[in-house]
Amino acid sequence: MHDDRLLVEGRLERALRQFIRPAQYPHRAPLALSVWHVPGEPVPVSAALAAAYEPFETGAEWGSPWSTSWFRLQGRVPEEWRGRRVEVVVDPGFTGEGPGFQAEGLVYDASGVPLKGVHPRNRHIPVASPARGGEPVHLLLEAAANPAVLHDFVPTPLGDVLTAGTTPIYRFASADLAVLDEDVWQLTLDIEVLSELMNELEADRPRRHEILRALEDMLDALDLHDVPGTAAAGRAALAGVLAKPAHASAHRVSAAGHAHIDSAWLWPLRETVRKASRTFANVTALAKEYPELVFACSQAQQYAWVKEHQPHIWERIKEAVADGNWAPVGSMWVESDANMPGGEALARQITHGMRFFREELGVETEEIWLPDSFGYSAAFPQLAKLAGIRWFLTQKLSWNQSNKMPHHTFWWEGIDGTRVFTHFPPVDTYNSQFHGAELAHAERNFADKGRASRSLVPFGWGDGGGGPTREMMERARRLRSLEGSPRVEIEKPSAFFAAAEEEYGARAPVWSGELYLELHRATYTTQAATKRGNRRSEHALREAELWCTAAAVRDPSYVYPHDTLDRLWKTVLLHQFHDILPGSSIAWVHREARETYGRVLAELDELTRAAVRSLGAGGPAVLNASPYARDEVVDTGDGTLVRASVPALGTRGLDGAGVPGTGAVAHTTGDTILLTNEHLSVTVDAAGLLTSVRDLAADREALAAPGNLLQLHPDHPTHYDAWDLDRHYRNRHTDLTDAESVELVEDGPLRVAVRVVRSFGASRITQEIRLAAGSRRVDVVTDVEWRESEKVLKAAFPLDVHAERSAAEIQFGHVHRPTHANTGWDAARYEICTHRWLRVAEEGYGVALLNDSTYGHDVTRTEHGGALGTTVRLTLLRAPHSPDPETDQGTHRFTYALLPGSSTGDAVAEGLALNLPLRVAAAPVLAPLVSVDHPAVTVESVKLADDRSGDVIVRLYESRGGRAVATLGTSFPVARAEVTDLLERPLREAETGEAGLALALRPFQIVTLRLRPA
């Protein structure tokens, strides 16, 4: 036979494009339009129903960026359409952008009940099937004029309603009644499924040629000038090849409907409320038509929004859950960033999410579902297990720039040794459309073939929402068992995970440690103010809960602010979403985030003040929210400095707080300033650099070269401006060694400080290098007026330490990472995330860098004076222009610190101290509510139980990476003590002894205790 494949395929492509697809709607009738343009922000449908509308014509412009217009669509089904399937088809001006990245809308009936959303790949609203003829049509379309922001990362003012302008950006194309010819529609789907499968098969496969000839026969049976009249014959020509079943050994795909909805990204939070409503309306409507649909949906926050704003859709969701069409997944409040949230915050993401799903929908979720976050903390496996979660899913590591993950299904082992069964869908997307290329890729790419036979495919339009469509459901029906293709079965993710674990769990490989994404490394730094707001809010919540609990235990009249703390926690958790905290959203999102954090911090401060007042009368006192005792210099509030010694989680009166001992002293010799106390000798040169930091106890120098060296690099990522810090940024830099001034501004006896002022480009930075009496750390308090463009600012500390690896704090522990680049995996970690501290050490000696809001760091091995040392750099600020053209411009204040002679325990305690400043207030001197007698056991949170029983919850963990046997004591009588899971559900009674509760912890083990006051 002559090889005419290309001719037949070309013939098919043109016939499908020019004749068959356009024939799906053979008859149309325009609807009458009228419009109400909403002044300002979106309004509920009740306001739209009461509004005055004006006539509107198709072809007219509408919609300034971020505005809302309500359209009335009115008409009547023609009598001659009796017996046909009739729909309304809407195009408010869709562009080439995908769903969720342009205009979109929600359609309501005449009484204001939401029906379904519309987007470029889902434009129809059912009217009648079959139609009687003459039915009146009265619909309301809430149309959102959302602009497309991300165009090749070119800066644009469209990312904030304050700068986007008022020029209309859409032109209303059409709103028609239309007849859907079901034979043509089904034929189109037959052709697409078969042609896509054919194109994935090798040219020498008989199945490819069989499909080609069937498609050719279909074309011969079809009259292209009468596609509706001959579509049935065309379908008959394809029936045989569609009926051939998949091979017994075919890869098995478990498919779950999905709609990844970023809780904010290229749109503000308020728009996500509507995106969720549109998508959820679509899904619940689709489930009525396709009872086999299973829709997997995460993010409890989005459910809560829909419950509040769209009660009709909420009721449909509950019905779909009960009917098995809807599977709540993910177990978290939002799909958060998985690197930067603190330990307690990550725990609360899970507890708030799981509690919502259980209480509102009666579902116990069993998986973490984070398909799009930018790397994953090695604390997750233990947190998951403590919450009763069995499985973990992501696909983001398929984006790795350098190294391909060796497994798709495996056990992921956390820092404490806990393992969770994990799956990376080899389809490498969470927005599958069941294209032949996607399924073929899933099968070819699956790394565990031979031992495992199945993978998961999330299908549906996502990122900006949309979800599965009827076309996807039809494709799934054809692909259930089709020769040459993987088998496709729509089912709940839990069914997939259970089957995969049963099949492969006993032999699956193990991946130990963090799941580092070799991409998007700049998300540890971008939008520094958002990151500061998160860090400070986390610690302010910790402090507020501690003192509110103390007040509740000690004062029967005090009312613990459950509702307020719940609301504030959920606000902070929402802003940990993986495009907010990482800094990759539009300007509007981060402007609002800064304002929100300001309100959160003010409200938490007032909660804490009120709780402290309820502790009882007392004189001026120092309150310590850290789980470690403190000996520090504190400002009493009027500029007076006092050195105070305060117990862990306790208070000490200022009258008795003074600590005798050597103070801090400053000496100036020429251009050099020497700062000393009993632990350190610090030299600052004429350029404002640290030329020496000498550890007096160890009698050794901490620095290998001048420290606190600010370095400015050009920062031009190849893609993804806000997200990426590409390796080539290191090729050039400028050392900022010119100082406008270097002056001694505090000269003891309790604190000495040197102020250094530098100007560079259009920016100005002021730093105070502080050394306090009794302190073992050198603090660098930094104020920056940042006006750079596409630059990254680093602070370098070349350390005289020979370190093969660094230790970086993560949630509930720390991870070690190599300082060398021996392998591609090592080299790819050229930028890393840490929480409050990063430590490098050689045998017998270590140095830590502490910070109060800086997550991005790099660590390299560097030669100084012929000896190998280790340089640690903090990544302080960036200045990308997309999606926010003014990223990080403005004023910043943050602190970092050098801690010579640091053990791991020192780093833990001092990192907490830097992030939990001592509070001065009128308060009685009280014993700590709880105390632990082993320094490796770190108390993470003290709060009242979420069930409002009045029980005290204490969460603690082993923080040094070893074993710890400890006793937890309380200053209140305890009637009952239990060990609980993460959700405060009892697991067993706690062991008690004469001194308190007996604890035996393994490395990095987390324990949650429930204590019932007597």
Side-chain angles (χ1 to χ4, degrees):
M1 181 182 291
H2 297 296
D3 187 359
D4 62 351
R5 288 180 297 124
L6 295 180
L7 292 173
V8 176
E9 290 169 9
R11 177 188 174 196
L12 175 68
E13 189 278 329
R14 182 177 182 186
L16 186 60
R17 168 175 46 84
Q18 186 173 338
F19 296 98
I20 301 172
R21 284 199 183 105
Q24 292 176 95
Y25 287 110
H27 307 291
R28 289 177 179 258
L31 293 165
L33 294 175
S34 56
V35 66
W36 172 52
H37 300 296
V38 179
E41 284 294 281
V43 298
V45 67
S46 57
L49 290 170
Y53 287 70
E54 57 188 37
F56 187 83
E57 298 292 332
T58 56
E61 292 183 331
W62 70 278
S64 61
W66 304 113
S67 67
T68 300
S69 295
W70 288 79
F71 294 92
R72 288 193 187 277
L73 287 60
Q74 295 178 299
R76 188 173 297 275
V77 176
E79 295 289 348
E80 59 270 27
W81 291 2
R82 181 187 300 273
R84 307 298 296 272
R85 183 171 179 173
V86 179
E87 301 176 340
V88 168
V89 182
V90 177
D91 181 355
F94 293 132
T95 67
E97 304 291 332
F101 298 91
Q102 55 171 298
E104 51 192 306
L106 181 60
V107 177
Y108 297 77
D109 68 14
S111 66
V113 175
L115 300 176
K116 67 182 294 287
V118 291
H119 61 68
R121 301 296 186 268
N122 195 344
R123 306 183 181 198
H124 72 281
I125 303 97
V127 174
S129 181
R132 301 188 310 274
E135 292 97 328
V137 175
H138 298 284
L139 299 173
L140 269 178
L141 169 64
E142 180 192 22
N146 298 337
V149 176
L150 207 61
H151 285 293
D152 296 324
F153 307 102
V154 174
T156 173
L158 290 173
D160 194 331
V161 69
L162 300 181
T163 58
T166 58
T167 302
I169 57 175
Y170 292 106
R171 191 177 297 276
F172 205 107
S174 61
D176 299 330
L177 278 167
V179 171
L180 176 66
D181 189 301
E182 296 191 65
D183 281 340
V184 178
W185 181 61
Q186 295 285 1
L187 174 63
T188 302
L189 289 157
D190 291 344
I191 295 169
E192 289 174 348
V193 168
L194 286 170
S195 62
E196 290 173 11
L197 171 59
M198 175 185 71
N199 290 332
E200 294 303 316
L201 298 173
E202 296 292 334
D204 59 358
R205 293 275 296 275
R207 177 64 168 165
R208 175 168 184 147
H209 293 268
E210 180 183 45
I211 294 172
L212 178 72
R213 296 311 161 192
L215 289 167
E216 184 178 32
D217 293 344
M218 178 274 299
L219 290 171
D220 292 338
L222 203 62
D223 181 348
L224 295 183
H225 286 178
D226 183 18
V227 173
T230 55
R235 293 201 72 201
L238 299 176
V241 289
L242 281 168
K244 288 199 170 183
H247 294 301
S249 60
H251 184 68
R252 296 178 180 271
V253 163
S254 296
H258 190 235
H260 182 63
I261 306 176
D262 286 319
S263 290
W265 180 29
L266 303 179
W267 45 86
L269 287 167
R270 64 87 154 152
E271 193 56 32
T272 312
V273 178
R274 300 200 294 177
K275 283 178 176 287
S277 300
R278 297 174 196 127
T279 298
F280 295 177
N282 278 347
V283 171
T284 52
L286 190 65
K288 296 297 185 183
E289 192 174 355
Y290 293 89
E292 71 269 30
L293 172 65
V294 174
F295 180 66
C297 186
S298 63
Q299 304 197 81
Q301 170 68 86
Q302 294 181 8
Y303 289 75
W305 280 333
V306 172
K307 179 185 177 184
E308 177 184 357
H309 294 279
Q310 293 286 0
H312 288 284
I313 299 173
W314 175 246
E315 290 303 316
R316 284 153 53 181
I317 290 171
K318 292 197 293 185
E319 180 182 352
V321 170
D323 291 345
N325 299 117
W326 191 295
V329 297
S331 308
M332 297 175 70
W333 189 248
V334 295
E335 288 184 14
S336 73
D337 178 77
N339 289 308
M340 291 175 285
E344 189 61 22
L346 207 55
R348 302 294 177 97
Q349 286 283 358
I350 295 171
T351 59
H352 279 287
M354 292 188 71
R355 189 173 294 114
F356 181 92
F357 290 132
R358 183 179 70 241
E359 294 177 356
E360 297 290 346
L361 298 170
V363 174
E364 289 282 349
T365 50
E366 295 183 283
E367 66 289 296
I368 299 291
W369 184 280
L370 290 174
D372 195 33
S373 299
F374 309 145
Y376 304 90
S377 164
F380 256 121
Q382 183 178 191
L383 288 170
K385 185 173 182 179
L386 288 172
I389 291 167
R390 301 173 58 189
W391 306 305
F392 187 94
L393 177 136
T394 183
Q395 65 83 49
K396 196 65 176 184
L397 269 69
S398 67
W399 288 43
N400 273 6
Q401 283 180 319
S402 305
N403 298 282
K404 180 181 173 63
M405 288 293 292
H407 322 298
H408 284 105
T409 304
F410 57 97
W411 291 98
W412 179 22
E413 182 180 281
I415 54 172
D416 72 310
T418 298
R419 294 176 179 179
V420 60
F421 194 69
T422 299
H423 182 65
F424 294 172
V427 70
D428 287 348
T429 180
Y430 47 76
N431 296 327
S432 173
Q433 300 165 52
F434 289 134
H435 286 316
E438 294 171 339
L439 296 176
H441 176 73
E443 183 174 53
R444 294 176 189 139
N445 189 42
F446 187 48
D448 303 285
K449 290 187 286 283
R451 297 293 186 191
S453 64
R454 65 188 74 231
S455 67
L456 186 69
V457 171
F459 68 95
W461 294 103
D463 288 326
T469 64
R470 61 185 180 182
E471 288 78 15
M472 295 175 192
M473 297 303 298
E474 290 289 342
R475 283 171 172 264
R477 286 178 172 179
R478 289 161 174 78
L479 292 163
R480 194 166 190 270
S481 181
L482 181 63
E483 184 186 347
S485 171
R487 297 176 182 269
V488 174
E489 183 76 27
I490 294 177
E491 60 185 356
K492 292 182 177 181
S494 58
F496 159 76
F497 272 110
E501 186 175 352
E502 181 180 4
E503 174 188 56
Y504 191 42
R507 308 183 75 165
V510 176
W511 180 273
S512 180
E514 68 181 332
L515 295 172
Y516 178 89
L517 177 65
E518 296 175 356
L519 195 71
H520 295 354
R521 301 168 180 90
T523 57
Y524 312 146
T525 302
T526 306
Q527 297 286 0
T530 299
K531 291 170 171 59
R532 281 196 303 279
N534 173 74
R535 178 78 70 85
R536 293 174 186 176
S537 295
E538 288 179 341
H539 288 81
L541 279 160
R542 177 193 194 117
E543 185 183 22
E545 287 186 333
L546 171 66
W547 300 121
C548 288
T549 303
V553 169
R554 291 188 162 96
D555 179 3
S557 67
Y558 177 79
V559 179
Y560 188 85
H562 283 284
D563 291 335
T564 302
L565 286 168
D566 181 78
R567 172 175 51 79
L568 292 171
W569 260 116
K570 287 174 178 174
T571 300
V572 172
L573 299 180
L574 167 60
H575 285 79
Q576 291 176 342
F577 178 75
H578 67 254
D579 278 307
I580 303 179
L581 180 53
S584 48
S585 288
I586 56 174
W588 191 350
V589 173
H590 292 289
R591 172 172 58 81
E592 289 190 331
R594 292 189 294 270
E595 296 166 356
T596 298
Y597 283 128
R599 291 191 297 270
V600 166
L601 288 167
E603 196 167 353
L604 285 169
D605 185 61
E606 182 49 43
L607 279 183
T608 301
R609 289 173 182 270
V612 171
R613 288 194 295 268
S614 293
L615 293 176
V622 184
L623 292 84
N624 177 18
S626 167
Y628 292 97
R630 310 266 284 275
D631 173 5
E632 288 183 18
V633 172
V634 61
D635 189 327
T636 62
D638 59 1
T640 303
L641 299 181
V642 175
R643 186 170 172 183
S645 178
V646 195
L649 305 174
T651 68
R652 176 69 58 84
L654 272 181
D655 290 342
V659 177
T662 306
V665 180
H667 297 285
T668 301
T669 305
D671 292 334
T672 298
I673 302 174
L674 180 66
L675 312 177
T676 60
N677 67 7
E678 58 262 53
H679 301 296
L680 299 175
S681 175
V682 179
T683 304
V684 182
D685 72 1
L689 300 177
L690 298 176
T691 55
S692 173
V693 177
R694 190 160 191 83
D695 183 338
L696 301 178
D699 192 24
R700 65 176 285 172
E701 175 63 48
L703 297 177
N708 195 37
L709 173 63
L710 298 177
Q711 298 179 309
L712 193 67
H713 296 258
D715 184 12
H716 300 281
T718 306
H719 306 288
Y720 303 112
D721 287 28
W723 294 259
D724 284 354
L725 187 66
D726 286 351
R727 192 191 308 264
H728 61 250
Y729 90 91
R730 290 185 171 186
N731 296 344
R732 289 179 54 207
H733 77 270
T734 300
D735 290 341
L736 303 180
T737 55
D738 293 337
E740 284 186 9
S741 62
V742 179
E743 59 179 325
L744 183 67
V745 292
E746 287 188 287
D747 60 358
L750 291 179
R751 188 168 68 197
V752 289
V754 175
R755 179 179 298 145
V756 182
V757 179
R758 306 182 193 277
S759 293
F760 53 94
S763 301
R764 184 178 179 86
I765 184 166
T766 301
Q767 295 190 303
E768 284 196 10
I769 301 167
R770 294 178 176 175
L771 181 65
S775 178
R776 292 178 51 206
R777 70 182 200 229
V778 182
D779 291 355
V780 183
V781 181
T782 304
D783 291 279
V784 187
E785 182 63 28
W786 180 248
R787 298 294 176 190
E788 299 308 296
S789 172
E790 296 178 312
K791 301 287 195 300
V792 58
L793 180 66
K794 295 257 186 177
F797 288 85
L799 303 174
D800 190 13
V801 174
H802 180 79
E804 298 253 338
R805 61 184 186 174
S806 66
E809 187 186 39
I810 64 169
Q811 303 86 350
F812 298 105
H814 58 267
V815 292
H816 291 109
R817 302 179 178 109
T819 59
H820 55 71
N822 283 359
T823 71
W825 297 92
D826 300 332
R829 287 178 167 86
Y830 60 82
E831 183 80 2
I832 57 176
C833 183
T834 188
H835 283 205
R836 292 169 296 226
W837 57 267
L838 184 147
R839 177 177 178 266
V840 293
E842 59 191 39
E843 178 62 29
Y845 195 79
V847 179
L849 265 294
L850 317 172
N851 71 83
D852 73 351
S853 58
T854 300
Y855 295 90
H857 291 68
D858 68 69
V859 184
T860 53
R861 307 177 79 182
T862 47
E863 202 171 332
H864 299 283
L868 191 66
T870 307
T871 296
V872 179
R873 299 198 303 169
L874 300 92
T875 312
L876 302 178
L877 292 167
R878 297 185 71 236
H881 295 319
S882 176
D884 177 1
E886 300 294 320
T887 301
D888 281 326
Q889 300 299 295
T891 302
H892 300 270
R893 182 177 178 85
F894 48 83
T895 300
Y896 52 89
L898 181 71
L899 183 65
S902 170
S903 65
T904 299
D906 295 332
V908 172
E910 291 292 340
L912 281 160
L914 184 62
N915 284 268
L916 287 166
L918 294 172
R919 176 180 289 268
V920 176
V925 176
L926 298 171
L929 204 62
V930 298
S931 59
V932 182
D933 65 359
H934 196 300
V937 178
T938 301
V939 175
E940 178 72 6
S941 66
V942 180
K943 59 188 283 290
L944 287 195
D946 289 339
D947 62 9
R948 308 195 180 199
S949 61
D951 291 354
V952 174
I953 301 296
V954 180
R955 187 152 24 246
L956 44 79
Y957 67 104
E958 197 289 316
S959 60
R960 300 185 181 183
R963 308 292 177 109
V965 176
T967 301
L968 182 137
T970 68
S971 60
F972 60 94
V974 175
R976 184 179 179 85
E978 296 169 309
V979 177
T980 75
D981 68 3
L982 206 64
L983 283 86
E984 304 170 10
R985 298 175 294 201
L987 298 174
R988 62 183 182 275
E989 287 195 14
E991 295 184 24
T992 57
E994 291 184 6
L997 277 67
L999 302 171
L1001 276 67
R1002 298 172 62 85
F1004 302 125
Q1005 183 181 354
I1006 304 166
V1007 173
T1008 304
L1009 300 167
R1010 176 187 279 264
L1011 311 177
R1012 179 158 299 166

